[in-house]
Amino acid sequence: MLRLLVPFVLLAALVGATILTDPPPKPADLTFINGTGEINTLDPQRMSWQLDLRAARLYFEGLTANDVFTWGYDIIPAVAESWDVTDDGRGYTFHLRDDAKWSNGAPVTAHDFVYSWRRALLPDIASDYIAFFRLIEGGGEFYDWRQEALDEYEQRPPSQRTAQAAETLWRDTLEHFDATVALEAVDDRTLRMRLTEPTPYWLDICAFAVFYPVYEPLVSQYERPNPDSARLDLKSGWTKPGRLVCNGPFVVTRWRFKRSMRAEKNPHYWNRDSLAIDSIEMPVIEEPNAMVLAFETGAVDWATDVTVGYRADIIQKKKNFYEENRAAYEALKAQGLDQFEIDRRLPDDPRKNIHVIPAFATYWYNFNCLPKLHDGRDNPFHDPRVRRAFAMSVDKQTLVDQVKRTGEPVAGSLIPPNSIGGYTPPEGLGYDPAAARELLAEAGWPDPARFPTVEIMFNKDAGHDLIAQAVAKDWQRNLGVSVSLDQKELKVYRNDLKNANYMVTRAGWYADYGDPTTFLEVNRTGDGNNDRKYSNPVYDDLLDQARVETDPARRMAILSEAERIIMEEDLPMVPFYHYVTVYMFDPDKLGGINPHPRATQNVFLLDVLGDGKGPDVARTMPVLPPSPAPGADTP
Amino acid sequence: MIGLILRRLLALPVILIVVYTITLTLAWAAPGNPLENPEGRQPPAEVMEAMKRQYNLDSFWRFYISYLDSASGAEYARDLVTGRIAREHNLAAQTDIAARSRPVFDFGPSLQYEDWTVNEIIAGAMPVSITLGALAILIALGIGITAGVVGAVRPNSFADLATLTVALIGISLPTFVIGTVLLLVFGVWWPILPVGGWGGLAQLVMPSLTLSLPFAAYIARLTRMGMIESLGSDYVRTARAKGMGERRVLLAHALKNAFLPVLSFLGPATALAMTGSFIVERVFNVPGMGQHFVNAVLNKDLFLIMGVVLIFATMLIVFNLAVDVMYRWVDPRIA
């Protein structure tokens, strides 16, 4: 009989042991959910995901930063306290502050930036944002040289591929970098560079996380040339707590995969006195319902991306709340207050905690612009008039109000209005079925029944099916064409999209930096993200003109004209709406989150109101007198 | 007994290689590019090529061989014999940085989560899954045996019908329904338990209970059948005839024999509870292995897929072996 108890005892001992050795985390000043999953990497040069970039701004600091509480996201000094720009707009000299320190107390020097940016320019590192680094004069040549040298190395017989040979090639690479790339540390506190073209948004790019410095004595230990390929062997591990040396407001003190990450104030950060929180706990919650529950039960202070299926219903509750307080809401809005500040001044109500904020991103449908479809048939969408006709017969307002129901603003242009200082996007084409039918007839399709069946391709996730159904109905009703829906698994969809194996497909874009080119370059002939295979020399020429234009206002006008061409004439894609992100936080308890359309949140600016740390007064956006921010909550 | 263990352990690598080959073939054939970030910016083509080469993703056979080499421990053994590991240690000591930890079975890097190796991910998640599974099985045994004994003592009574009904519900209802209902009741309406996460005993209650119910139901039915059978047997009649107390008859004689079918169910059940808790992990946000399995497949994270599959396969084989050994030990008639 006793023998029967053995399995019970073993199982119980196992449970007891793990529980005792795995205590729950201590409470932190701020607990928030960063995105909807685990961070992909904390290596700034290799980042591309929103949540990674948000974490990077917590742990690292670049030469410059964006003041996220201005509508223009104005550039402010960070590690660099000042900079000079040459008259041709191509030479930059940054002067670094002398109190910028790494988290181990060592000073942050210009050499650290040279090391980190050189890292990004290595094909070995495979940075997603290599194109930005190629803007540095000689950067592109250096990258290509290294790539060729590596290719040549791999052709060598095995006897010539030794640790020593790989090391020699690595030393040559470093010398080659110094000789070709116009990036140099003049002294510890002066960083000088020259760009291939005047780049008015260069300071904005320097504030982008991919340009943040990493600590050479640490990182170089993990990246040694591999004798077989001469490529750097990238070993993970240096981003882990206890090892990571960083220069930002916080340091990582614990990181458990898909569980949580903990950050504590960096005692060596030069601007540490400005921080209103000492510790941050970032649990990972992937299940959308669990995320909402975690917020509602008070386990987290802020959820940065609420994606539950009933999102539309909770947003409706917020609208009802505004409706009930209509007079007060209108009066506050008329004062030009930002949406969070309006919420703070309205009566207490749990419905206040849901926030629809604009994202720097647009949802659209691609038209395949090639003359032939993938299977060899003639492509009716090769004709811009056809694309225009289809674009004009989608009732975007109804789509947003009845199908999406999550507060997205209708998009007439690719670039969200007011998101980039000094730039005015075109109006775009309105909803006009009658004109659309005429246009289609003019394009040689007087009898729409003879138009080939339009195939809309989409991936089955995230409600794309509902949108496709609505769009199909619009096209059938307004144009009289027949439409079929082609639902794909995400990876298949992605493959077909890249190979232009589609007629019409859904797509979208989250932009990276504060310049129109972040959206417009994706339509340049041959661009890696030009999934439409759109090509218009006039458009490409305008982008080229903007490249060399040094007058900012004229440059913006050129870019606006380029966008007008794709949004009012050629329509390689038709934008439906600008994305929104749904936050959950109590505006009376949490300050420091900004409602700007570019939606860059600097977590180190957060202030738990009423906890006695920091000013305990929420920062607000400057009052905008005439028009409120686009995408702001409207009842 | 020793022969059995030896035979099974010798079969283990063979089974694992078959599992490895099938899984890798399927995962390789699935569409999509593991290096691609599905919703974001695409790296330039030459960068993609470089990464493919770096991870041996440009050729099935090169990947097949190189991964088998590192995951099976052959690479480690080779480096140990040739002294490469010792050299790496010396180098690390000179350069004043911790030596790269070299696991014997190296499952490679995660393609999706670049800062983590598959070994680190599994090492973090396996204790969680094992604890959750073990606790669920314990609860299932507690509930199942009690219900089974109660039902067998008074067959067709109200208590028997009630436990049978609950057992039927436990088997039929999917865990995401049970889990969500528990969450709603004990997390939201009557908030006495945390709604998710991992750490304290309180956070374990709901997920392990949810996970245990289907197993409890099955154990209850097995116990009931076994008990009814043994209660009608000669040795129980003898025990009662010689004046033994009813309690001792039930526990010492009837249950001991009725438990054997439960014990044989326990092997696959434990392995299943420890590996197949994906839905429960998701509903309660438990950082276990199941979620990595599913997410790795969705992301086509080849190294992680292979690592998790190999570990799962090993666990299944080892638990079945453990139960077989225990079975023989408890009931010497079987040998």
Side-chain angles (χ1 to χ4, degrees), chain A residues 3-4 14 18-19 22 39-42 48 126 128-130 143 231 235 239-240 255 257-259 284-287 293 494 506 509 512, chain B residues 36-39 41-44 46-47 53 100 112-116 120 130-131 141 188 198-199 201 204 259 282 285 287 292 295 329:
Chain A
R3 287 182 177 185
L4 275 185
L14 203 65
T18 25
I19 290 175
D22 199 355
I39 283 168
N40 295 273
T41 177
L42 277 186
S48 64
D128 279 3
Y129 286 98
I130 182 71
Y143 178 95
R231 259 165 222 291
K235 292 179 192 123
T239 55
K240 297 291 166 55
W255 187 10
F257 186 68
K258 291 235 176 149
R259 288 173 75 166
V284 176
I285 301 184
E286 293 189 315
E287 220 286 315
L293 280 180
R494 189 84 230 173
R506 77 109 202 146
W509 187 253
D512 308 307
Chain B
E36 192 163 78
N37 139 6
E39 286 289 299
R41 179 173 286 272
Q42 301 308 313
E46 68 269 14
V47 170
R53 269 205 297 276
R100 177 165 73 113
Q112 174 87 24
Y113 301 101
E114 291 159 18
D115 294 8
W116 299 85
E120 285 171 326
I130 289 184
T131 309
L141 282 169
V188 182
W198 187 255
L201 200 55
L204 261 170
F259 187 71
R282 207 173 152 80
N285 198 43
H292 298 322
N295 288 337
W329 184 55

Coordinates of all heavy atoms in Angstrom, one line a residue, chain A residues 3-4 14 18-19 22 39-42 48 126 128-130 143 231 235 239-240 255 257-259 284-287 293 494 506 509 512, chain B residues 36-39 41-44 46-47 53 100 112-116 120 130-131 141 188 198-199 201 204 259 282 285 287 292 295 329:
Chain A
R3 N 3.7 1.7 -1.2 CA 4.3 1.9 -2.5 C 3.4 2.7 -3.4 O 3.9 3.5 -4.2 CB 4.5 0.5 -3.2 CG 5.7 -0.2 -2.6 CD 5.9 -1.5 -3.3 NE 7.0 -2.2 -2.8 CZ 7.5 -3.3 -3.3 NH1 6.9 -3.9 -4.4 NH2 8.5 -3.9 -2.7
L4 N 2.1 2.6 -3.2 CA 1.2 3.4 -4.0 C 1.3 4.9 -3.8 O 1.0 5.7 -4.6 CB -0.3 3.0 -3.7 CG -0.8 1.8 -4.5 CD1 -2.2 1.5 -4.1 CD2 -0.6 1.9 -6.0
L14 N 7.8 17.8 -6.1 CA 8.2 18.6 -7.2 C 7.5 20.0 -7.2 O 8.1 21.0 -7.4 CB 7.7 17.8 -8.5 CG 8.4 18.1 -9.8 CD1 9.8 17.7 -9.7 CD2 7.7 17.3 -10.9
T18 N 9.4 23.8 -6.7 CA 9.4 24.9 -7.7 C 8.8 26.2 -7.0 O 9.2 27.3 -7.3 CB 8.6 24.6 -9.0 OG1 7.7 23.6 -8.7 CG2 9.6 24.2 -10.1
I19 N 7.8 26.0 -6.2 CA 7.1 27.1 -5.7 C 8.1 27.9 -4.7 O 8.2 29.1 -4.7 CB 5.8 26.7 -5.0 CG1 4.8 26.3 -6.0 CG2 5.3 27.9 -4.1 CD1 3.5 25.8 -5.5
D22 N 10.8 29.9 -6.5 CA 10.4 30.9 -7.5 C 9.4 31.9 -6.9 O 8.2 31.9 -7.2 CB 9.7 30.1 -8.6 CG 9.7 30.9 -9.9 OD1 10.1 32.1 -9.9 OD2 9.2 30.4 -10.9
I39 N 9.7 41.0 -25.7 CA 10.6 41.8 -26.5 C 11.4 40.9 -27.3 O 11.8 39.8 -26.9 CB 11.5 42.6 -25.5 CG1 10.7 43.8 -25.0 CG2 12.8 43.0 -26.1 CD1 11.3 44.5 -23.8
N40 N 11.7 41.3 -28.6 CA 12.5 40.4 -29.5 C 14.0 40.5 -29.2 O 14.7 39.5 -29.3 CB 12.1 40.7 -30.9 CG 10.7 40.4 -31.2 OD1 10.4 39.3 -31.6 ND2 9.8 41.4 -31.0
T41 N 14.4 41.7 -29.0 CA 15.8 41.9 -28.7 C 16.0 43.2 -28.0 O 15.3 44.2 -28.2 CB 16.7 41.8 -29.9 OG1 18.1 42.1 -29.5 CG2 16.4 42.8 -31.0
L42 N 17.1 43.3 -27.2 CA 17.4 44.6 -26.5 C 18.7 45.2 -27.2 O 19.3 46.1 -26.7 CB 17.7 44.4 -25.0 CG 16.5 44.4 -24.1 CD1 16.9 44.4 -22.7 CD2 15.6 45.7 -24.4
S48 N 13.5 46.3 -34.6 CA 12.6 46.9 -35.5 C 11.2 46.9 -35.0 O 10.3 47.5 -35.5 CB 12.6 46.2 -36.9 OG 12.2 44.8 -36.8
A126 N 23.2 42.4 -39.7 CA 21.9 42.3 -40.4 C 20.9 43.3 -39.8 O 19.8 42.9 -39.3 CB 21.4 40.9 -40.4
D128 N 18.0 45.8 -39.6 CA 16.8 46.0 -40.5 C 16.8 47.4 -41.1 O 16.3 47.7 -42.1 CB 15.5 45.9 -39.7 CG 15.1 44.4 -39.6 OD1 15.9 43.6 -40.1 OD2 14.0 44.1 -39.0
Y129 N 17.5 48.3 -40.3 CA 17.5 49.7 -40.7 C 18.8 50.2 -41.4 O 19.2 51.3 -41.3 CB 17.2 50.6 -39.5 CG 15.7 50.5 -39.1 CD1 15.3 49.6 -38.1 CD2 14.8 51.2 -39.8 CE1 14.0 49.5 -37.7 CE2 13.4 51.1 -39.4 CZ 13.1 50.3 -38.4 OH 11.7 50.2 -38.1
I130 N 19.4 49.2 -42.0 CA 20.7 49.5 -42.7 C 20.6 50.8 -43.6 O 21.6 51.5 -43.7 CB 21.2 48.3 -43.4 CG1 22.6 48.5 -44.1 CG2 20.2 47.8 -44.5 CD1 23.7 48.6 -43.1
Y143 N 29.8 48.9 -46.4 CA 28.9 47.7 -46.3 C 29.1 46.7 -47.4 O 29.4 45.5 -47.2 CB 27.4 48.1 -46.2 CG 26.4 47.0 -46.1 CD1 25.9 46.6 -44.9 CD2 26.0 46.3 -47.3 CE1 25.0 45.6 -44.8 CE2 25.1 45.3 -47.2 CZ 24.6 44.9 -45.9 OH 23.7 43.9 -45.8
R231 N 32.7 35.9 -40.8 CA 31.6 36.7 -40.2 C 31.7 36.8 -38.7 O 32.2 35.8 -38.1 CB 30.3 36.1 -40.5 CG 29.5 36.6 -41.6 CD 28.4 35.6 -42.0 NE 28.4 35.6 -43.4 CZ 28.0 36.6 -44.2 NH1 27.6 37.7 -43.6 NH2 28.1 36.6 -45.5
K235 N 26.8 36.2 -30.5 CA 26.4 35.3 -29.4 C 25.4 36.2 -28.5 O 25.7 37.3 -28.3 CB 27.5 34.8 -28.5 CG 28.3 33.9 -29.3 CD 29.5 33.4 -28.5 CE 30.5 32.6 -29.4 NZ 31.8 33.2 -29.4
T239 N 22.7 41.1 -23.4 CA 21.6 42.0 -23.1 C 20.9 41.6 -21.8 O 19.9 42.1 -21.4 CB 20.6 42.0 -24.2 OG1 20.2 40.6 -24.4 CG2 21.1 42.5 -25.5
K240 N 21.5 40.6 -21.1 CA 20.8 40.0 -19.9 C 21.1 40.9 -18.7 O 22.2 41.5 -18.6 CB 21.2 38.6 -19.7 CG 20.8 37.7 -20.8 CD 19.3 37.4 -20.9 CE 18.9 36.8 -22.1 NZ 19.5 35.5 -22.4
W255 N 15.1 39.7 -16.0 CA 14.4 39.5 -17.3 C 14.1 38.0 -17.4 O 15.0 37.2 -17.4 CB 15.2 39.9 -18.4 CG 14.5 39.9 -19.7 CD1 13.2 39.6 -19.9 CD2 15.0 40.1 -21.0 NE1 12.8 39.7 -21.3 CE2 14.0 39.9 -22.0 CE3 16.3 40.4 -21.5 CZ2 14.2 40.1 -23.3 CZ3 16.5 40.5 -22.9 CH2 15.4 40.4 -23.8
F257 N 12.0 35.1 -19.5 CA 11.4 35.0 -20.8 C 9.9 34.8 -20.7 O 9.5 33.9 -20.1 CB 12.1 33.9 -21.6 CG 11.6 33.8 -23.0 CD1 12.0 34.8 -23.9 CD2 10.9 32.7 -23.4 CE1 11.6 34.7 -25.2 CE2 10.4 32.7 -24.7 CZ 10.8 33.6 -25.6
K258 N 9.2 35.7 -21.5 CA 7.7 35.6 -21.6 C 7.1 35.6 -20.2 O 6.0 35.1 -20.0 CB 7.3 34.4 -22.3 CG 7.6 34.5 -23.8 CD 6.5 34.3 -24.7 CE 6.9 34.5 -26.1 NZ 6.1 33.7 -27.0
R259 N 7.8 36.2 -19.2 CA 7.2 36.3 -17.9 C 7.2 37.8 -17.5 O 6.1 38.5 -17.5 CB 7.9 35.5 -16.8 CG 7.7 34.0 -17.0 CD 8.5 33.2 -16.1 NE 8.1 33.3 -14.7 CZ 8.5 32.4 -13.8 NH1 9.3 31.5 -14.1 NH2 8.1 32.5 -12.6
V284 N 4.7 40.1 -19.2 CA 4.2 39.8 -20.5 C 2.9 39.1 -20.4 O 2.8 38.1 -19.8 CB 5.3 38.9 -21.2 CG1 4.8 38.5 -22.6 CG2 6.6 39.5 -21.3
I285 N 1.9 39.7 -21.1 CA 0.6 39.0 -21.1 C 0.2 39.0 -22.6 O -0.1 40.0 -23.2 CB -0.4 39.8 -20.3 CG1 0.0 39.9 -18.8 CG2 -1.8 39.1 -20.4 CD1 -1.0 40.5 -17.9
E286 N 0.1 37.8 -23.2 CA -0.2 37.7 -24.6 C -1.7 37.5 -24.9 O -2.1 37.9 -25.9 CB 0.6 36.5 -25.2 CG 2.1 36.7 -25.1 CD 2.8 35.7 -25.9 OE1 2.5 34.5 -25.7 OE2 3.8 36.0 -26.7
E287 N -2.4 37.0 -23.9 CA -3.8 36.8 -24.1 C -4.6 38.1 -23.9 O -4.5 38.7 -22.8 CB -4.3 35.7 -23.1 CG -5.2 34.7 -23.7 CD -6.6 35.3 -24.0 OE1 -7.1 36.0 -23.1 OE2 -7.2 35.1 -25.0
L293 N -8.2 42.0 -18.0 CA -8.5 41.6 -16.6 C -7.4 42.1 -15.7 O -7.6 42.6 -14.6 CB -8.6 40.0 -16.5 CG -9.9 39.4 -16.9 CD1 -9.8 37.9 -16.7 CD2 -11.0 40.0 -16.1
R494 N 1.9 36.6 -46.7 CA 3.2 37.4 -46.8 C 4.0 37.1 -48.0 O 4.5 37.9 -48.7 CB 4.0 37.1 -45.5 CG 5.2 37.9 -45.3 CD 4.8 39.2 -44.6 NE 5.4 40.3 -45.3 CZ 5.2 41.5 -45.1 NH1 4.4 41.9 -44.1 NH2 5.8 42.4 -45.7
R506 N -4.9 43.4 -48.8 CA -4.8 44.4 -47.7 C -3.3 44.5 -47.3 O -2.5 43.6 -47.4 CB -5.6 43.9 -46.5 CG -5.0 42.8 -45.7 CD -4.6 43.3 -44.3 NE -3.6 42.4 -43.8 CZ -2.6 42.9 -43.0 NH1 -2.5 44.1 -42.7 NH2 -1.7 42.0 -42.6
W509 N 1.2 50.0 -42.9 CA 2.5 50.5 -42.6 C 2.6 51.3 -41.3 O 1.8 52.2 -41.1 CB 3.0 51.4 -43.8 CG 4.4 51.8 -43.8 CD1 4.9 53.0 -43.5 CD2 5.5 50.9 -44.0 NE1 6.3 53.0 -43.6 CE2 6.7 51.7 -43.9 CE3 5.7 49.6 -44.4 CZ2 8.0 51.2 -44.1 CZ3 7.0 49.1 -44.6 CH2 8.1 49.9 -44.5
D512 N 8.5 54.9 -39.2 CA 9.6 54.9 -38.3 C 10.0 56.2 -37.8 O 10.5 56.3 -36.6 CB 10.8 54.3 -39.0 CG 10.5 53.0 -39.7 OD1 9.9 52.1 -39.0 OD2 10.7 52.8 -40.9
Chain B
E36 N 11.7 36.5 -41.2 CA 11.0 37.6 -41.6 C 10.0 38.1 -40.5 O 9.5 37.2 -39.8 CB 10.1 37.2 -42.8 CG 9.4 38.3 -43.5 CD 9.0 37.7 -44.8 OE1 8.0 37.0 -44.9 OE2 9.7 38.0 -45.8
N37 N 9.9 39.4 -40.3 CA 9.1 39.9 -39.3 C 7.7 40.1 -40.0 O 7.7 40.9 -40.9 CB 9.8 41.0 -38.7 CG 9.0 42.2 -38.3 OD1 7.8 42.3 -38.4 ND2 9.8 43.2 -37.9
P38 N 6.7 39.3 -39.6 CA 5.5 39.2 -40.5 C 4.8 40.5 -40.7 O 4.2 40.7 -41.7 CB 4.6 38.2 -39.7 CG 5.1 38.2 -38.3 CD 6.6 38.5 -38.4
E39 N 4.8 41.5 -39.8 CA 4.1 42.7 -40.0 C 4.9 43.9 -40.1 O 4.5 45.0 -40.0 CB 3.1 42.9 -38.8 CG 2.0 41.9 -38.7 CD 0.9 42.2 -39.8 OE1 0.4 43.3 -39.8 OE2 0.7 41.4 -40.7
R41 N 8.9 45.9 -41.3 CA 9.9 46.3 -42.3 C 10.7 45.0 -42.7 O 11.1 44.2 -41.8 CB 10.8 47.3 -41.7 CG 11.9 47.8 -42.5 CD 12.6 49.0 -41.8 NE 11.7 50.2 -41.8 CZ 11.7 51.0 -42.8 NH1 12.5 50.9 -43.8 NH2 10.9 52.1 -42.8
Q42 N 11.0 44.9 -43.9 CA 11.8 43.8 -44.4 C 13.2 44.1 -44.5 O 13.6 45.1 -45.1 CB 11.3 43.3 -45.7 CG 9.8 42.9 -45.7 CD 9.5 41.9 -44.6 OE1 10.2 41.0 -44.4 NE2 8.5 42.2 -43.8
P43 N 14.1 43.3 -44.0 CA 15.6 43.6 -44.1 C 15.9 43.4 -45.6 O 15.3 42.7 -46.3 CB 16.3 42.6 -43.3 CG 15.3 41.5 -43.1 CD 13.9 42.1 -43.2
P44 N 17.0 44.1 -46.1 CA 17.4 44.0 -47.5 C 17.7 42.6 -47.8 O 18.1 41.8 -46.9 CB 18.6 44.9 -47.6 CG 18.7 45.7 -46.3 CD 17.8 45.0 -45.3
E46 N 20.3 41.1 -49.2 CA 21.6 40.6 -48.9 C 21.7 40.3 -47.4 O 22.4 39.3 -47.0 CB 22.7 41.5 -49.4 CG 22.9 42.8 -48.7 CD 22.0 43.9 -49.4 OE1 21.2 43.6 -50.2 OE2 22.3 45.1 -49.1
V47 N 21.0 41.1 -46.6 CA 21.0 40.8 -45.2 C 20.3 39.5 -44.9 O 20.8 38.7 -44.1 CB 20.3 42.0 -44.5 CG1 20.1 41.6 -43.0 CG2 21.1 43.3 -44.6
R53 N 22.5 32.1 -44.3 CA 23.8 31.3 -44.3 C 24.2 31.1 -42.8 O 24.7 30.0 -42.5 CB 24.9 32.1 -45.1 CG 24.9 31.7 -46.5 CD 26.3 31.9 -47.1 NE 26.6 33.3 -47.1 CZ 26.3 34.2 -48.0 NH1 25.6 33.8 -49.0 NH2 26.6 35.4 -47.9
R100 N 31.4 31.5 -22.4 CA 30.1 31.2 -23.0 C 29.6 29.9 -22.4 O 30.4 28.9 -22.4 CB 30.3 31.1 -24.5 CG 29.1 30.6 -25.2 CD 29.3 30.9 -26.7 NE 30.2 29.9 -27.3 CZ 29.8 29.0 -28.2 NH1 28.5 28.9 -28.5 NH2 30.7 28.2 -28.7
Q112 N 13.3 34.2 -33.4 CA 12.3 35.3 -33.2 C 12.8 36.1 -32.0 O 12.7 37.3 -32.0 CB 11.0 34.6 -32.8 CG 10.0 35.6 -32.4 CD 9.2 36.2 -33.6 OE1 9.2 35.6 -34.6 NE2 8.7 37.4 -33.4
Y113 N 13.3 35.5 -31.0 CA 13.8 36.2 -29.8 C 15.3 36.1 -29.7 O 15.9 35.2 -29.1 CB 13.1 35.6 -28.5 CG 11.6 35.7 -28.6 CD1 10.8 34.6 -29.0 CD2 11.0 36.9 -28.4 CE1 9.5 34.7 -29.2 CE2 9.6 37.1 -28.6 CZ 8.9 36.0 -28.9 OH 7.5 36.1 -29.1
E114 N 16.0 37.1 -30.4 CA 17.4 36.9 -30.7 C 18.2 36.9 -29.4 O 19.4 36.5 -29.4 CB 17.8 38.1 -31.6 CG 17.2 37.9 -33.0 CD 17.2 39.2 -33.7 OE1 17.9 40.2 -33.4 OE2 16.4 39.3 -34.7
D115 N 17.7 37.5 -28.3 CA 18.6 37.5 -27.1 C 18.6 36.2 -26.3 O 19.2 36.2 -25.3 CB 18.1 38.7 -26.2 CG 18.3 40.0 -26.9 OD1 18.6 40.0 -28.1 OD2 18.1 41.1 -26.2
W116 N 17.8 35.3 -26.8 CA 17.7 34.0 -26.0 C 18.1 32.8 -26.8 O 17.9 32.8 -28.0 CB 16.2 33.8 -25.6 CG 15.7 34.9 -24.7 CD1 15.2 36.1 -25.2 CD2 15.7 35.0 -23.3 NE1 14.9 36.9 -24.1 CE2 15.2 36.3 -22.9 CE3 16.1 34.1 -22.3 CZ2 15.0 36.6 -21.6 CZ3 15.9 34.5 -21.0 CH2 15.4 35.7 -20.6
E120 N 17.9 28.3 -23.0 CA 17.5 29.2 -21.9 C 15.9 29.3 -21.8 O 15.4 29.3 -20.7 CB 18.0 30.7 -22.2 CG 19.4 30.9 -21.9 CD 19.9 32.2 -22.4 OE1 19.4 32.7 -23.4 OE2 20.8 32.8 -21.8
I130 N 6.1 21.6 -15.7 CA 6.2 20.4 -14.9 C 5.4 20.6 -13.6 O 4.6 19.8 -13.2 CB 7.7 20.0 -14.6 CG1 8.3 19.5 -16.0 CG2 7.8 18.9 -13.6 CD1 9.7 19.0 -15.8
T131 N 5.6 21.8 -13.0 CA 4.9 22.0 -11.7 C 3.4 22.1 -12.0 O 2.6 21.4 -11.2 CB 5.3 23.4 -11.2 OG1 6.7 23.5 -11.1 CG2 4.7 23.6 -9.8
L141 N -6.0 13.2 -9.1 CA -6.0 11.9 -8.3 C -6.9 12.1 -7.1 O -7.7 11.2 -6.8 CB -4.6 11.6 -7.9 CG -3.7 10.9 -9.0 CD1 -2.3 10.9 -8.6 CD2 -4.2 9.6 -9.4
V188 N -13.0 37.7 -11.1 CA -13.7 39.0 -11.4 C -14.9 39.2 -10.4 O -14.9 40.2 -9.7 CB -14.1 39.0 -12.8 CG1 -14.8 40.4 -13.1 CG2 -12.9 38.8 -13.8
W198 N 2.4 34.0 -12.7 CA 3.0 32.8 -12.1 C 3.8 33.3 -10.9 O 4.3 34.4 -11.0 CB 4.0 32.2 -13.2 CG 4.6 30.9 -12.7 CD1 5.9 30.8 -12.3 CD2 4.0 29.7 -12.6 NE1 6.1 29.5 -12.0 CE2 4.9 28.8 -12.1 CE3 2.7 29.2 -12.9 CZ2 4.7 27.4 -11.9 CZ3 2.4 27.9 -12.7 CH2 3.4 27.0 -12.2
G199 N 4.0 32.6 -9.9 CA 4.8 33.0 -8.8 C 4.3 32.3 -7.5 O 5.0 31.5 -7.0
L201 N 1.5 30.4 -4.7 CA 0.6 29.2 -4.7 C -0.8 29.7 -5.2 O -1.5 28.9 -5.9 CB 0.5 28.7 -3.3 CG 0.0 27.2 -3.2 CD1 0.9 26.3 -4.0 CD2 0.1 26.8 -1.7
L204 N -1.4 29.4 -8.8 CA -1.4 28.1 -9.3 C -2.8 27.4 -9.2 O -3.1 26.5 -10.0 CB -0.5 27.2 -8.5 CG 0.9 26.9 -9.0 CD1 1.8 26.3 -8.0 CD2 0.8 26.1 -10.3
F259 N -6.7 0.5 -8.2 CA -5.8 1.6 -8.5 C -4.9 1.3 -9.7 O -4.4 2.2 -10.4 CB -5.0 2.0 -7.3 CG -4.2 3.3 -7.6 CD1 -4.8 4.5 -7.6 CD2 -2.8 3.2 -7.7 CE1 -4.1 5.7 -7.9 CE2 -2.0 4.4 -7.9 CZ -2.7 5.6 -8.0
R282 N -2.4 29.8 -21.8 CA -2.7 31.1 -22.4 C -3.8 31.8 -21.6 O -3.7 33.0 -21.4 CB -3.2 30.7 -23.8 CG -3.0 31.9 -24.8 CD -3.3 31.6 -26.2 NE -3.8 32.8 -26.9 CZ -2.9 33.7 -27.3 NH1 -1.6 33.6 -27.2 NH2 -3.4 34.8 -27.9
N285 N -2.3 33.0 -18.5 CA -1.0 33.7 -18.7 C 0.1 33.0 -17.9 O 0.9 33.6 -17.2 CB -1.1 35.1 -18.3 CG 0.1 36.0 -18.9 OD1 0.4 35.8 -20.0 ND2 0.6 36.8 -18.1
P287 N 3.7 31.1 -17.9 CA 4.8 31.1 -18.8 C 5.4 29.7 -19.0 O 6.6 29.4 -18.7 CB 5.8 32.0 -18.1 CG 5.5 31.9 -16.7 CD 4.0 31.7 -16.6
H292 N 5.2 28.2 -26.0 CA 6.4 28.3 -26.9 C 6.2 27.4 -28.1 O 6.6 27.7 -29.2 CB 7.7 27.9 -26.2 CG 8.0 28.8 -25.0 ND1 7.7 30.1 -25.1 CD2 8.4 28.5 -23.8 CE1 8.1 30.7 -23.9 NE2 8.5 29.7 -23.1
N295 N 3.6 29.1 -30.4 CA 4.1 30.3 -31.0 C 5.3 30.0 -32.0 O 5.5 30.7 -33.0 CB 4.6 31.3 -29.9 CG 3.4 31.9 -29.2 OD1 2.3 31.9 -29.8 ND2 3.6 32.3 -28.0
W329 N 6.8 -2.5 -10.0 CA 7.3 -2.5 -8.6 C 6.1 -2.6 -7.7 O 6.1 -3.3 -6.7 CB 8.0 -1.1 -8.4 CG 8.6 -1.0 -7.1 CD1 9.5 -1.8 -6.5 CD2 8.4 0.1 -6.2 NE1 9.8 -1.3 -5.3 CE2 9.2 -0.1 -5.1 CE3 7.6 1.3 -6.2 CZ2 9.2 0.8 -4.0 CZ3 7.6 2.1 -5.2 CH2 8.4 1.9 -4.0

